[in-house]
Amino acid sequence: MNGRDSGGPERGATSFGGTVALVVTALVGIALGVAEGALWPTLGGLAGAVISALGVRAMQSEANARRAVGSVGVVVGASIFAGVAVVGGEAVALLVGISAAGAGINAIVSFDARVEQPAVEAVWRSATLLTVGAVVAVAVHLGMVGAMGRLAGAGVSGLLSASALALLVVLQVEIFVLAELMRLAVPILDRWLPENRDVRGATLARFDFRFEDAPRAYWAAFAAQVALALSSWGPRWFAVFLDLLSVLGRTVELLLTTGVLHVPLSVGILGLLGVLLARGLQALFVSWAGSDPPRAVALSAGGLVTLGVALVLGVWAGSETVVSSAGSGVANTVGNVGLAGVVAGAVATALFTVAAVRRALATVVAPWVATESATGFAIAGVALFVASLVVAEAGGSALAALAGVAGALVVHDLGTNAVGLGVQIGREAETRTGESAHAVGSLLVGAGGVALAGATAFVMGRVEFSVPAWRARLAVALLLVAVLCFAVLFERDE
């Protein structure tokens, strides 16, 4: 929801100024990518930035369908950033993507806490879902579910082969467990079923019995039964005792060994445990969804879609295909935890990283912005500035590095001016003429600075004197920081 929808003042950038700042960001970013030799990763980062910005814009809608589309866009954009960082391995491409995302979001929506809240919530909700999905997928891939099933089957087969005395002890334990679970699960069923269904009165009134209600003499007899069942001679003694009872003894043995008594009690216990599990899942969902479940689900759509894609890839493509076509590191990981777990875990990690980077960047650029509504353009300027330093450090074109620094200042200046006009006269006001003059002036100043710096570097390159490399880099870095600080202070003094 933007400022206009909420009845507050318009706090976003003007359409023309924001667009010009975004175009300058993209052009400077592409130039830095070319200078670094990473054009395609840089274009990938720009694509991720565009998708993320459109996703953030869609999440400002009141319609849950558009919020869901926006959530998917944010997750896809974050996934592209992760792919650029992992596959491309180019810091410049990632920094250019971050700068374009900041400028793009600031250009198309009112960049403030009301814009950030749904986007940040979508990131956290999707990351949480993907983390849970990754854990489940890894558990399934490692065979934990099958192992639990085999363990349960071994327990059933062991129970069927147990002695009549052991089955008698198990029968008593099942009765007490069933009674305790009923006291926990029946009130839950009362809340779930229609009001005219009094499950509590119909069950607990008839089976209101707990293990502490049993007399001490019974517990003494029960302890004796357990001791006899664990001994080597107790089961044989109990079998002889049943033989002495003739028909009654054979009937009791038949009831104990055929499961006629144990199966209904086991089914009842499993059903009550299912009720308690469902109640726990319901409580988790309510705490996760909050007071507006449709909105929560819409903001989590990115995680849900990604989790579905990961499961489809895991079933359809199969881990063997990835293992045979990927590198050794990826192949080993996929082979160990499964393709679905790798995809879900990787995207979840990317989303958590995006959330952490957003917080770090907001803290870094806070001293450089006069209003939080221009934070996106400040992030764009800082990212371009750092990308320029990376290009210079890697031995790229000095002219491209200088152009990157000048572009960072121009983006910050144009974006801040666009936000200022948007706050004063509205985002949709006709400001093309004035902003065009301001943009041309800023671009000419930036181009003149680059030309002067290039000429100075050419002249200094013809002078023969030696300066240690670390001193030269430190001097250039301090000079660039000084220029940036001067530009910010000059703008605030105005």
Side-chain angles (χ1 to χ4, degrees):
M1 180 172 61
N2 56 29
R4 180 175 298 174
D5 295 335
S6 62
E10 197 66 71
R11 304 183 66 188
T14 58
S15 299
F16 180 78
T19 302
V20 173
L22 178 59
V23 170
V24 172
T25 302
L27 294 177
V28 173
I30 292 174
L32 292 175
V34 172
E36 183 68 7
L39 175 60
W40 291 111
T42 301
L43 293 178
L46 290 175
V50 172
I51 295 174
S52 298
L54 293 177
V56 172
R57 180 179 183 179
M59 278 190 292
Q60 311 311 308
S61 172
E62 294 295 331
N64 286 324
R66 285 184 57 82
R67 287 173 176 168
V69 174
S71 175
V72 173
V74 170
V75 173
V76 170
S79 302
I80 294 176
F81 285 155
V84 169
V86 175
V87 179
E90 300 291 344
V92 171
L94 186 60
L95 289 168
V96 169
I98 292 174
S99 66
I105 295 173
N106 214 154
I108 62 179
V109 295
S110 299
F111 201 89
D112 52 29
R114 289 168 294 182
V115 169
E116 291 183 86
Q117 193 273 333
V120 172
E121 186 177 352
V123 168
W124 280 104
R125 288 185 180 277
S126 297
T128 303
L129 280 177
L130 288 170
T131 301
V132 174
V135 172
V136 174
V138 171
V140 172
H141 179 78
L142 296 178
M144 294 182 180
V145 177
M148 293 178 62
R150 289 190 296 270
L151 182 62
V156 172
S157 62
L159 185 63
L160 293 176
S161 62
S163 64
L165 180 57
L167 292 173
L168 178 62
V169 174
V170 172
L171 179 65
Q172 298 170 79
V173 172
E174 287 179 333
I175 292 174
F176 284 118
V177 171
L178 183 66
E180 292 300 320
L181 290 178
M182 286 180 62
R183 298 185 67 88
L184 296 175
V186 166
I188 298 174
L189 293 174
D190 256 343
R191 291 194 294 269
W192 287 353
L193 295 177
E195 296 182 358
N196 58 350
R197 299 291 299 274
D198 189 6
V199 179
R200 185 179 308 184
T203 54
L204 294 184
R206 300 179 183 178
F207 305 99
D208 191 10
F209 178 78
R210 305 191 67 185
F211 66 90
E212 64 260 21
D213 296 333
R216 294 182 179 178
Y218 168 78
W219 289 116
F222 180 76
Q225 295 176 51
V226 173
L228 289 174
L230 295 176
S231 67
S232 60
W233 54 271
R236 293 196 303 270
W237 177 86
F238 187 69
V240 173
F241 173 74
L242 292 179
D243 288 338
L244 294 176
L245 296 179
S246 185
V247 177
L248 178 60
R250 286 193 293 271
T251 302
V252 171
E253 184 178 8
L254 186 65
L255 291 175
L256 290 175
T257 56
T258 58
V260 175
L261 298 177
H262 293 84
V263 171
L265 291 174
S266 300
V267 172
I269 290 174
L270 291 177
L272 294 176
L273 288 175
V275 171
L276 296 178
L277 178 62
R279 173 56 182 161
L281 294 176
Q282 181 190 37
L284 288 176
F285 179 79
V286 169
S287 63
W288 173 79
S291 58
D292 192 354
R295 177 179 180 276
V297 173
L299 293 178
S300 307
L304 293 172
V305 172
T306 305
L307 186 58
V309 171
L311 294 177
V312 170
L313 289 175
V315 174
W316 177 67
S319 301
E320 293 77 8
T321 304
V322 179
V323 169
S324 61
S325 60
S328 59
V330 177
N332 292 333
T333 304
V334 172
N336 291 331
V337 301
L339 180 57
V342 169
V343 173
V347 178
T349 302
L351 292 176
F352 284 127
T353 303
V354 167
V357 169
R358 182 202 67 86
R359 174 62 63 182
L361 288 176
T363 303
V364 169
V365 304
W368 307 95
V369 294
T371 173
E372 67 172 358
S373 299
T375 303
F377 293 116
I379 290 175
V382 170
L384 286 179
F385 180 80
V386 176
S388 303
L389 295 182
V390 172
V391 170
E393 176 64 23
S397 170
L399 188 61
L402 293 172
V405 174
L409 296 175
V410 170
V411 168
H412 182 268
D413 176 62
L414 294 179
T416 304
N417 180 69
V419 170
L421 290 175
V423 172
Q424 296 175 8
I425 61 178
R427 296 185 61 189
E428 303 302 327
E430 179 53 48
T431 58
R432 188 182 304 269
T433 302
E435 287 190 287
S436 297
H438 181 86
V440 170
S442 297
L443 291 172
L444 288 177
V445 171
V450 172
L452 179 61
T456 303
F458 176 77
V459 173
M460 295 296 292
R462 300 178 65 88
V463 179
E464 296 182 358
F465 63 90
S466 176
V467 178
W470 69 269
R471 292 184 181 179
R473 292 171 182 170
L474 178 61
V476 172
L478 293 177
L479 176 62
L480 294 177
V481 172
V483 172
L484 181 61
C485 294
F486 175 78
V488 173
L489 291 175
F490 179 77
E491 178 184 347
R492 290 187 174 182
D493 288 340
E494 289 182 337

